[in-house]
């Protein structure tokens, strides 16, 4: 065996921290692919792509498992401090968000198949419009992490409001469509849940951007609590 | 100042670990109250209760913040090993699940108000049936944590399938109701999302039960990955 020196240990530790980062980048890339496929399944009414998108969920889940295993090992054996601790805790959080985003994308794919066996509906085009807003947010959040870029992370927040607005517009559009086409009510209920999935994916990407800020020491703990102003329920419609 | 002895330090550490546990119990109790109120708002068509349920979300959020602050402090300063490490990581995970359950309950309350300003619908009774399955799962998960009880934690999993079945039944019932009562389509779309909230609350409770198993050293890391058999998409309708 090679004699272990302090230098070796530090090198091994650095390699392990990089491995954590690698897991996130890999998971992020899988989620992006899966999302693109799920949307393509709707756009092209292609059930083969839907089945593929649905299945890739498993790989994302096992990466989360490997990441957690390594993170807990590092927490127990390396007694990390400060920025390393934030990276380890942060990657565990991001992995959880990505895993859920994968679940939402898989659910999109599953529901895409139900859309595709039914008659085409014009209102589906509006779902794709919403998806077009969500795709860049997924990419942006993963990219902010990969490039350790606070500005990119902060920019994600600004993209969430347009998603919420488009989402609310879309729900109204689907409800109006259901009222005008009662025979499509069942298929339209799929669209409602698909829109919800898209909106949730956007929220999770925002979570990731906040965790990137946490990892980089910006706002430190504060970002763990979403800045939440109690919405004025009375004024909401 | 009192001289610090090893005994003092251990005592302070134990007190801090107990404080973490206390945060979870407190959050759990708030989420249970909030959920009960949100359902009561639907049952009694009572908008005052809805507004109260919606507002209590803020307290849950700030408890999560305090818990994370303490957990990170402990990870950095106490260099916890084995079961303490699992407790700290586990309570952070549970806090996140509880915080989300609170968000879902708040969303239920918000949508309850929309139901209450519309004409009563018979199908709402079925939503309460679903809620009756979800309430005990929230309580069971929090109780399993508070009592360190592996059996109670394992029992939660068994309660999730009936929720999913009731949920699927309910969605079909609402879709049929919409088809029969097109003027209620908009209000019924609220019911669809409320059912989704209930189903998600059930899933989060299952997460908590899995984390309790992790904290207690059962399955160790394995529970961090949900046992997931790839569903046979082809056979699903």
């Amino acid at each position: 065996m090679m004699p272990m020196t302090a230098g070796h240990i530090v090198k091994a530790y650095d390699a392990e921290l990089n491995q954590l980062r690698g897991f996130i980048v890999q998971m992020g890339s899988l989620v992006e692919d899966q999302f693109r496929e799920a949307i393509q399944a709707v756009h092209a009414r292609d059930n083969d792509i839907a089945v593929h998108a649905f299945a890739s969920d498993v790989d994302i889940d096992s990466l989360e498992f490997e990441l957690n295993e390594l993170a807990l090992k590092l927490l127990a054996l390396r007694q990390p401090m400060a920025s390393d601790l934030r990276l380890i805790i942060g990657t565990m959080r991001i992995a959880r968000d990505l895993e859920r985003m994968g679940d939402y994308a898989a659910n999109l794919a599953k529901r895409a198949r139900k859309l595709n066996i039914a008659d085409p509906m014009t209102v589906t085009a509006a779902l794709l419009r919403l998806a077009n807003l969500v795709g860049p947010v997924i990419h942006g959040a993963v990219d902010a992490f990969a490039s350790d870029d606070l500005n990119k992370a902060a920019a994600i927040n600004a993209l969430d409001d347009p998603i919420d607005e488009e989402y609310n517009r879309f729900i109204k559009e689907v409800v109006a469509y259901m009222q005008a086409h009662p025979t499509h009510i069942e298929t339209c209920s799929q669209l409602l849940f698909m829109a919800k999935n898209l909106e949730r994916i956007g929220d999770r990407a925002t979570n990731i951007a906040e965790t990137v800020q946490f990892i980089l020491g910006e706002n430190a703990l504060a970002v763990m609590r979403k800045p939440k102003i109690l919405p004025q329920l009375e004024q909401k419609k």
Side-chain angles (χ1 to χ4, degrees), chain A:
Chain A
M1 265 183 67
M2 297 258 293
M4 288 292 277
T5 67
H8 271 106
I9 290 169
V10 169
K11 247 192 185 162
Y13 183 32
D14 283 348
E16 285 166 328
L17 292 175
N18 274 328
Q19 212 184 331
L20 280 185
R21 302 184 62 90
F23 281 135
I24 296 296
V25 172
Q26 226 181 317
M27 287 180 78
S29 153
L30 285 176
V31 169
E32 278 193 74
D33 290 347
Q34 189 188 17
F35 178 79
R36 203 178 300 116
E37 285 176 2
I39 300 307
Q40 181 60 13
V42 177
H43 180 67
R45 292 176 67 83
D46 185 331
N47 276 339
D48 291 340
I49 299 185
V51 170
H52 190 264
F54 188 80
S56 55
D57 208 32
V58 176
D59 298 327
I60 297 167
D61 289 359
S62 57
L63 280 168
E64 190 203 7
F65 177 72
E66 284 183 70
L67 182 143
N68 278 329
E69 200 169 31
L70 178 57
L72 285 174
K73 188 185 121 184
L74 294 180
L75 285 173
L77 303 182
R78 301 291 192 183
Q79 305 179 334
M81 306 279 288
S83 70
D84 293 343
L85 180 59
R86 289 201 308 272
L87 177 67
I88 296 168
I89 295 292
T91 53
M92 290 176 86
R93 291 177 79 89
I94 292 176
R96 188 128 205 230
D97 284 323
L98 286 171
E99 188 271 333
R100 280 302 303 163
M101 287 160 86
D103 285 351
Y104 290 126
N107 196 266
L108 279 171
K110 187 172 133 186
R111 293 182 189 277
R113 292 181 78 244
K114 296 192 186 174
L115 288 189
N116 294 349
I117 54 173
D119 290 337
M121 301 183 299
T122 52
V123 71
T124 305
L127 185 82
L128 296 171
R129 212 162 56 221
L130 179 58
N132 280 340
L133 296 179
V134 174
V137 180
I138 306 174
H139 180 74
V142 174
D143 184 38
F145 171 83
S147 55
D148 277 333
D149 191 323
L150 267 182
N151 292 330
K152 283 181 185 169
I156 299 296
N157 268 319
L159 299 175
D160 200 46
D161 281 348
I163 292 176
D164 289 347
E165 283 159 24
E166 186 65 39
Y167 166 77
N168 288 324
R169 225 182 348 254
F170 178 72
I171 298 296
K172 280 190 193 121
E173 203 172 327
V174 175
V175 166
Y177 190 92
M178 285 167 134
Q179 286 161 341
H181 307 83
T183 55
H184 288 172
I185 284 176
E186 189 169 359
T187 319
C188 275
S189 72
Q190 299 297 334
L191 284 181
L192 292 177
F193 289 122
M194 292 171 89
K196 193 51 159 175
N197 284 333
L198 289 171
E199 188 257 345
R200 294 300 304 140
I201 289 175
D203 279 354
R204 293 283 178 157
T206 308
N207 284 355
I208 292 176
E210 286 173 347
T211 305
V212 170
Q213 292 174 293
F214 164 74
I215 291 173
L216 297 174
E218 189 71 5
N219 296 332
L221 272 159
V223 299
M224 283 215 161
R225 176 175 55 180
K226 283 221 188 84
K228 200 175 275 178
I229 297 153
L230 186 61
Q232 292 303 309
L233 196 56
E234 295 310 319
Q235 289 164 24
K236 281 209 169 177
K237 54 173 172 10

